[in-house]
Amino acid sequence: MTKTLHHFVRNHRLELNTIMLVTLTSMVFIYPFNNHFRFTLGIAVLSTLLLYFPKLPSVQLTFVCGVCIVALRTIIYFFIGPEELDDTLFRHVPALLYYVVFGILFKLLAIRTFIDNLPVAVLLLTVTDALSNLAELVFRPTLQAVSFDLILASIVSAGLVRSIITVYGYVLLKHYHAFVLEQNQLKHYAELTMMTAKLKTELFYLQKSSQDIENVMERSYWLYNQLNHSESETECRESNAASALEVAREIHEVKKDYARVITGIANILKPSSLEQFMSLSEILYIIEQNILRFLAASGKSISITFHYREDFKTGRHYTIVSLLDNLIMNAIDACGQSGHIRVLQATAGTDVVFEVEDNGCGINPHELALVFKPGFSTKFSLQTGKVSTGLGLAHVKNLTESLKGTVTVSSNVGKGARFTIRIPQEEIMFREG
């Protein structure tokens, strides 16, 4: 039982922390109409976390948060107030309706998809907040004496303020995440510098071994000539024996140097326990920064957005970078000088799904079955006259299949293409324990 509970807590740590934080911040509130109706800070915190963590289920989480908030308020006011438990519960239950409606509207309006357009996100959050408050007010008859205009103005104003706080909090979290990733990148650059210095030391021994190999070749050839042209075995025996011994000694010296270099390089390149795994958000950030630098250098007006549903850790970070980088570069070529590329990660059943979609030139129907064939390409440079090698998509297919996954493509000519990679979770996700 304890093991099962521990496993549940570990797998739902983010949801549990969110519920606890939202429940506690809901105790920061104001009474706008001098009665039991209140505006709390908790919903702004909840909205911020729902936007920042796409894996959080909006409907289920808001419902559970509402239940916990009602329970906490009921317990507190029952012990400090003169009312009976039933009366206290009845007073606070309407707040649950607010959270239920908020979660449903948050999902129906697909607010997460508009987060790149902050004014639209603020507007949708304000509407969601206001409608949720109106739904709660239906079950609070004590507010019937208050002017409807005053109520409407109050809930719209509160909704706008909380929506602005939500979006501002989301932006702050994004900037903080970028700052942390930048610090990690600086750390990696420092480690790469040290690695380069160590590899240069190993390079010295490789160069020394190369010279030793040249010496061995010269002595071996000399010995060969001596043996081939000697007229008497006895007259050259001592000389040739000494030369053969010298050749053996130098070969042994080369062997020792190469063994040392192999061990040294293996130790340099051995990742630490922290470097063996990376989160998906870090991987996508690295890819995004590299792509943006490439687009800036090439002068193309192509935008790219990244969305992920689950920020899992993986030891396959190099593979993911290679897969997505090849597909994104292929999409950039398809877009030409302008366009938009969307990179999406989702979970479907027991598979992790990656999609790279563009609105470029698309692929002809008769070419769809050939795009993953080695050497097949439709890319031709007018400047250089060179045809692409056609190995990028074949490499994507081979890498995907090495992880027991599949890659497919769908396209409409003139409207773009979508490449979809499906990989079993156990092949790509790292799970503690």
Side-chain angles (χ1 to χ4, degrees), residues 313-329:
K313 285 188 174 295
T314 179
R316 303 283 191 176
H317 36 281
Y318 295 122
T319 302
I320 294 177
V321 169
S322 183
L323 287 171
L324 296 182
D325 191 61
N326 272 288
L327 291 180
I328 292 171
M329 295 305 294

Side-chain angles (χ1 to χ4, degrees), residues 74-94:
T74 301
I75 293 171
I76 291 175
Y77 285 96
F78 172 70
F79 284 105
I80 67 175
E83 296 180 350
E84 296 293 330
L85 179 61
D86 293 344
D87 295 332
T88 305
L89 181 61
F90 180 76
R91 184 202 306 176
H92 296 292
V93 161

Side-chain angles (χ1 to χ4, degrees), residues 110-287:
I111 297 177
R112 283 171 172 151
T113 62
F114 296 96
I115 193 58
D116 293 327
N117 190 336
L118 296 184
V120 175
V122 170
L123 176 62
L124 291 177
L125 284 169
T126 302
V127 171
T128 300
D129 195 326
L131 291 177
S132 302
N133 273 317
L134 287 174
E136 179 183 350
L137 290 175
V138 172
F139 291 87
R140 290 195 181 275
T142 56
L143 289 178
Q144 291 178 356
V146 183
S147 168
F148 179 76
D149 292 339
L150 176 60
I151 293 175
L152 185 61
S154 298
I155 64 175
V156 171
S157 300
L160 179 60
V161 170
R162 290 195 288 197
S163 299
I164 292 174
I165 293 174
T166 295
V167 172
Y168 183 67
Y170 170 80
V171 172
L172 284 181
L173 284 176
K174 291 286 285 186
H175 281 298
Y176 175 73
H177 190 200
F179 171 77
V180 172
L181 289 177
E182 183 178 353
Q183 295 302 308
N184 289 336
Q185 289 301 304
L186 291 175
K187 178 183 176 182
H188 286 310
Y189 289 145
E191 291 173 349
L192 286 174
T193 301
M194 292 300 298
M195 182 187 296
T196 302
K198 293 177 181 178
L199 286 175
K200 285 187 176 180
T201 302
E202 303 305 325
L203 181 61
F204 166 79
Y205 287 97
L206 285 177
Q207 292 171 336
K208 173 181 176 296
S209 296
S210 297
Q211 185 59 49
D212 289 340
I213 291 173
E214 288 290 335
N215 294 337
V216 168
M217 290 174 61
E218 290 180 4
R219 288 184 178 275
S220 299
Y221 187 70
W222 178 86
L223 181 59
Y224 163 77
N225 285 331
Q226 287 291 104
L227 293 173
N228 198 35
H229 296 92
S230 62
E231 296 179 358
S232 171
E233 287 188 18
T234 55
E235 73 179 53
C236 295
R237 182 176 299 168
E238 292 184 3
S239 170
N240 292 340
S243 297
L245 182 62
E246 185 68 16
V247 168
R249 186 194 67 78
E250 291 189 4
I251 289 177
H252 182 67
E253 187 72 15
V254 171
K255 175 187 174 183
K256 287 196 304 181
D257 285 344
Y258 268 86
R260 183 205 175 284
V261 169
I262 290 171
T263 302
I265 292 178
N267 289 332
I268 291 170
L269 298 180
K270 184 186 298 181
S272 66
S273 59
L274 295 177
E275 293 173 329
Q276 289 178 354
F277 305 100
M278 288 181 67
S279 64
L280 180 64
S281 58
E282 291 176 311
I283 297 171
L284 296 182
Y285 179 80
I286 292 172
I287 295 174

Side-chain angles (χ1 to χ4, degrees), residues 16 40 48 100-101 140 156-157 193 219 391 397 423:
L16 294 174
T40 76
T48 301
V100 171
V101 174
R140 290 195 181 275
V156 171
S157 300
T193 301
R219 288 184 178 275
L391 296 177
K397 184 174 185 293
I423 300 173

Side-chain angles (χ1 to χ4, degrees), residues 8-21 49 52-57 61 309 311:
F8 175 82
V9 171
R10 183 181 63 192
N11 290 340
H12 297 84
R13 187 180 293 117
L14 177 59
E15 291 88 343
L16 294 174
N17 289 334
T18 299
I19 293 169
M20 183 181 301
L21 182 60
L49 296 177
Y52 187 73
F53 296 104
K55 67 177 288 186
L56 290 176
L61 190 65
R309 300 291 184 187
D311 191 17

Side-chain angles (χ1 to χ4, degrees), residues 26 168 304 334:
S26 70
Y168 183 67
I304 182 168

